[in-house]
Amino acid sequence: MSLTRKDVEAIAHLARLAITEEEASLYADSLSRILHLVEQLNAADVSTTEPMAHPLAGLVQRLRADEVTATDQHEKFQLNAGKVSSGLYLVPKVIE
Amino acid sequence: MAELHAQTLTELAAGLRAGKFSSVELTRHFLERISKYDAELNAFITVTSELALAQAADADARIAAGTASALTGLPLAHKDIFCTDGVLTTCGSKMLSNFVSPYDATVVTRLKQAGMVMLGKTNMDEFAMGSSNETSFYGAVKNPWNLAKVPGGSSGGSAAAVAARIAPAATGTDTGGSIRQPAALTSLTGIKPTYGRVSRYGMIAFASSLDQGGVMCLSAEDAALLLQSMSGFDVQDSTSVDTPVPDYSATLNQSLKGLKIGLVKEFFEQGLSNENAKPVREALAVYEQLGARLVEVSLPNLPLSVPTYYVVAPAECSSNLSRFDGVRFGYRCDNPRDLQDLYTRSRGEGFGSEVKRRIMTGTYVLSAGYYDAYYLRAQKIRRLITEEFANAFKQVDVLMGPTSPTTAFDIGAKVDDPVTMYLNDIYTIGANLAGLPAMSIPCGFLDGLPVGLQIIGGHFAEAKLLNVAHGYQQVTDWHKRMPERYA
């Protein structure tokens, strides 16, 4: 399976990544090579195999009691944000 | 007494306890070595000198008061993937080059509570995606055995720091070999525990079903000491396993008589140069002298572990890294036109090329129309590989083979070809897919460059692995060799 520059641009859009035309050409080449490597998977017979999402069989995701465990630290957390005002994260205008 | 930096963590702990030196003296010694050597190694992204000296003073007070743990006062470095409260935590990326973590990872908390002293945060491949430490936004790390060579990756900074003895031990993480491969390439003892054994809370996620934290140090004895404190159930990690942690140090000296060692046929067939196999075969002969028996086992689908991994890991990475949007934390582009532009440019400018490549690979294999052919198929093969490992452990106690197909390669040699780079992990990835504990220990040199022996065990067999590694280290001295330049 080979990808074109156009394919890569479509994938980059889905992944919300701005890439240049030059990068798109380079990625078309390297992603095609990766997909070629991945084609080896077609050799295995998996007709009766169940997919495995997790390495430890029988492990279930725990639930915790619905109790407040965290304290309000939004000022500390927002020190890492690019733009905040009055406790809100600022982004470009979405609705005109 | 040997110089402080030539001693193992276990030896340093005994020296502290006996009052031969203080934690402040010990910490100062390593900080001085960092300032002397790190300019050429680039092993650290951040050195936390003031914090380290303050923690060392606290440790000395604890030792004097008789409230010290086995690890109190011992310095270590953390891979910069672990969140550290109030300290820059970059994950080797421009995306997090301004991120001061508001909390500690559980691993950091536990080692802090044990009284360990943090020297700083080590360099790494960006978001742990790489096998050579060349994808870091902070530049390549040099291998202390030969400064023109890579130290391996992604925990390359931790590897270089310990190998050059500018830190006595360091944490690492292993998603496809990122502890074991750099340990092999720099002559260290490294262990990746069973998936779920060490908490992933506060460990920046790459591929959540594969990521596992562990340690890189100078001996199996040191690894036992560190792992004891790091391991155990954590309510903050939903995949943390609630199984008691055995006393790892207590079983180190058990006899290896009768140990059944499986040699994976496929490991020795795949692309391993005969030269590179030689130190590994010699190590196996040492085990035979210790009373172990070698049994050949076959895992026919194991050669598919690299292609399986390069579907599963990018898929999980594309999902995990979607949190970086330029809004709440991390890099934010200048003057975004609109929200879409804020997202795409912050991500396009903040991520390096390998990270973008993996995000796009993952996005593609999960996209409509391709999911069944790639992702679902890879998950089925992951089960086949896991079952083959389980069958092997019905016949043998541990599996052994090489950690890496080659010794350390030249900086720049493989950066242009991702597929060649990915094949470095051919021997290590299987353990991650199956969630198994695995180690690499030094077993010799080729042309002055270290070679590692990999030991893989069944789920939660860390004590067995450490025992097997320790037995070898009692009758060999490869793990004691250090690069002359840093002696």
Side-chain angles (χ1 to χ4, degrees):
Chain A
M1 179 89 194
S2 281
L3 296 180
T4 63
R5 191 164 58 83
K6 270 207 135 38
D7 293 329
V8 170
E9 282 164 357
I11 297 166
H13 171 70
L14 287 174
R16 299 295 183 269
L17 286 170
I19 56 168
T20 62
E21 275 190 27
E22 194 195 349
E23 280 182 297
S25 300
L26 290 172
Y27 283 127
D29 174 56
S30 61
L31 290 178
S32 297
R33 277 191 279 159
I34 293 167
L35 291 177
H36 182 68
L37 169 80
V38 165
E39 276 165 18
Q40 290 175 24
L41 296 181
N42 295 330
D45 177 11
V46 289
S47 51
T48 57
T49 311
E50 288 293 309
M52 183 179 121
H54 194 284
L56 296 179
L59 196 68
V60 287
Q61 299 269 305
R62 290 183 312 278
L63 298 175
R64 68 169 178 85
D66 186 16
E67 289 162 358
V68 177
T69 54
T71 52
D72 179 7
Q73 301 182 68
H74 77 267
E75 283 177 6
K76 188 178 184 187
F77 295 156
Q78 287 188 329
L79 290 175
N80 278 304
K83 278 195 168 172
V84 287
S85 176
S86 318
L88 303 172
Y89 293 97
L90 300 189
V91 294
K93 196 187 268 183
V94 178
I95 302 165
E96 291 299 328
Chain B
M1 184 172 74
E3 285 232 55
L4 292 176
H5 59 265
Q7 298 184 39
T8 65
L9 215 53
T10 309
E11 288 162 349
L12 292 173
L16 276 174
R17 240 31 96 241
K20 287 185 185 160
F21 44 83
S22 69
S23 175
V24 169
E25 285 166 339
L26 183 61
T27 302
R28 203 163 267 147
H29 180 77
F30 280 104
L31 289 173
E32 277 163 15
R33 285 182 65 81
I34 292 170
S35 58
K36 186 171 174 193
Y37 293 118
D38 198 45
E40 66 184 35
L41 292 166
N42 198 25
F44 280 87
I45 291 173
T46 305
V47 180
T48 50
S49 311
E50 276 179 37
L51 178 67
L53 289 169
Q55 288 179 337
D58 287 348
D60 282 332
R62 262 178 85 171
I63 293 167
T67 57
S69 82
L71 292 169
T72 304
L74 297 168
L76 98 160
H78 282 300
K79 184 177 182 180
D80 209 16
I81 199 168
F82 288 101
C83 284
T84 42
D85 194 2
V87 176
L88 187 68
T89 300
T90 71
C91 221
S93 182
K94 179 180 177 186
M95 182 58 88
L96 287 173
S97 56
N98 58 1
F99 181 71
V100 176
S101 173
Y103 70 107
D104 277 332
T106 297
V107 162
V108 173
T109 303
R110 290 195 175 175
L111 294 177
K112 206 186 248 183
Q113 281 168 352
M116 290 199 91
V117 172
M118 179 172 82
L119 296 169
K121 309 288 294 288
T122 57
N123 204 341
M124 54 182 284
D125 277 300
E126 184 179 4
F127 284 100
M129 297 174 200
S131 308
S132 65
N133 216 113
E134 292 170 289
T135 72
S136 170
F137 175 62
Y138 295 90
V141 176
K142 314 288 162 54
N143 189 321
W145 292 93
N146 179 336
L147 296 174
K149 307 280 182 185
V150 303
S154 67
S155 312
S158 289
V162 182
R165 277 36 173 199
I166 61 175
T171 52
T173 60
D174 192 316
T175 304
S178 284
I179 287 176
R180 290 162 286 157
Q181 184 254 14
L185 269 44
T186 59
S187 202
L188 298 182
T189 299
I191 183 164
K192 174 202 100 71
T194 307
Y195 181 82
R197 179 78 293 185
V198 168
S199 171
R200 291 185 297 109
Y201 180 72
M203 195 177 105
I204 297 169
F206 158 17
S208 300
S209 79
L210 303 161
D211 297 343
Q212 182 62 203
V215 292
M216 308 174 78
C217 49
L218 299 178
S219 69
E221 205 175 16
D222 286 1
L225 200 59
L226 286 165
L227 207 55
Q228 197 74 47
S229 276
M230 284 167 66
S231 300
F233 179 64
D234 178 15
V235 76
Q236 306 263 44
D237 171 359
S238 65
T239 56
S240 172
V241 176
D242 195 359
T243 312
V245 181
D247 183 344
Y248 294 130
S249 300
T251 49
L252 282 176
N253 288 308
Q254 280 181 359
S255 163
L256 300 184
K257 221 178 189 63
L259 180 80
K260 274 194 254 171
I261 299 174
L263 305 187
V264 180
K265 198 173 115 211
E266 289 76 9
F267 271 173
F268 285 91
E269 279 174 356
Q270 279 172 50
L272 182 76
S273 74
N274 277 336
E275 249 190 10
N276 219 19
K278 200 169 155 254
V280 172
R281 293 197 189 278
E282 284 167 2
L284 295 171
V286 171
Y287 276 105
E288 281 185 296
Q289 283 160 21
L290 290 170
R293 207 148 54 79
L294 306 182
V295 184
E296 187 173 88
V297 294
S298 174
L299 285 79
N301 280 300
L302 194 59
L304 293 178
S305 57
V306 173
T308 302
Y309 178 87
Y310 280 98
V311 172
V312 173
E316 294 184 16
C317 125
S318 72
S319 167
N320 272 325
L321 270 58
S322 65
R323 75 193 58 182
F324 298 100
D325 56 6
V327 177
R328 290 157 304 151
F329 45 77
Y331 176 81
R332 180 186 178 107
C333 69
D334 287 334
N335 307 314
R337 272 193 324 274
D338 52 28
L339 193 58
Q340 179 79 5
D341 190 44
L342 171 66
Y343 291 154
T344 59
R345 245 176 350 104
S346 295
R347 291 166 60 78
E349 294 167 14
F351 290 133
S353 64
E354 179 60 24
V355 172
K356 283 189 268 195
R357 177 160 32 242
R358 298 214 194 176
I359 290 174
M360 287 195 282
T361 307
T363 303
Y364 182 73
V365 300
L366 291 175
S367 61
Y370 298 102
Y371 179 89
D372 285 2
Y374 291 110
Y375 187 64
L376 200 64
R377 187 169 191 88
Q379 281 193 313
K380 289 177 178 176
I381 296 170
R382 185 175 183 183
R383 181 178 298 280
L384 291 179
I385 293 169
T386 304
E387 285 171 352
E388 287 176 3
F389 270 115
N391 282 332
F393 286 118
K394 283 177 195 159
Q395 305 163 53
V396 298
D397 299 308
V398 293
L399 296 170
M400 284 190 194
T403 306
S404 165
T406 65
T407 53
F409 45 91
D410 287 342
I411 291 172
K414 297 186 184 182
V415 279
D416 294 330
D417 183 3
V419 171
T420 308
M421 188 69 91
Y422 294 173
L423 292 172
N424 280 304
D425 300 332
I426 196 159
Y427 302 124
T428 46
I429 278 174
N432 299 84
L433 291 172
L436 300 166
M439 284 185 87
S440 180
I441 59 172
C443 71
F445 289 82
L446 277 177
D447 300 326
L449 292 169
V451 176
L453 172 75
Q454 186 178 210
I455 313 170
I456 306 176
H459 288 132
F460 300 101
E462 286 81 4
K464 176 55 88 185
L465 292 188
L466 292 163
N467 163 223
V468 169
H470 183 70
Y472 178 78
Q473 293 182 338
Q474 293 309 101
V475 296
T476 58
D477 68 351
W478 301 114
H479 63 293
K480 292 182 181 161
R481 309 280 177 97
M482 69 173 114
E484 253 170 55
R485 192 182 176 87
Y486 306 100

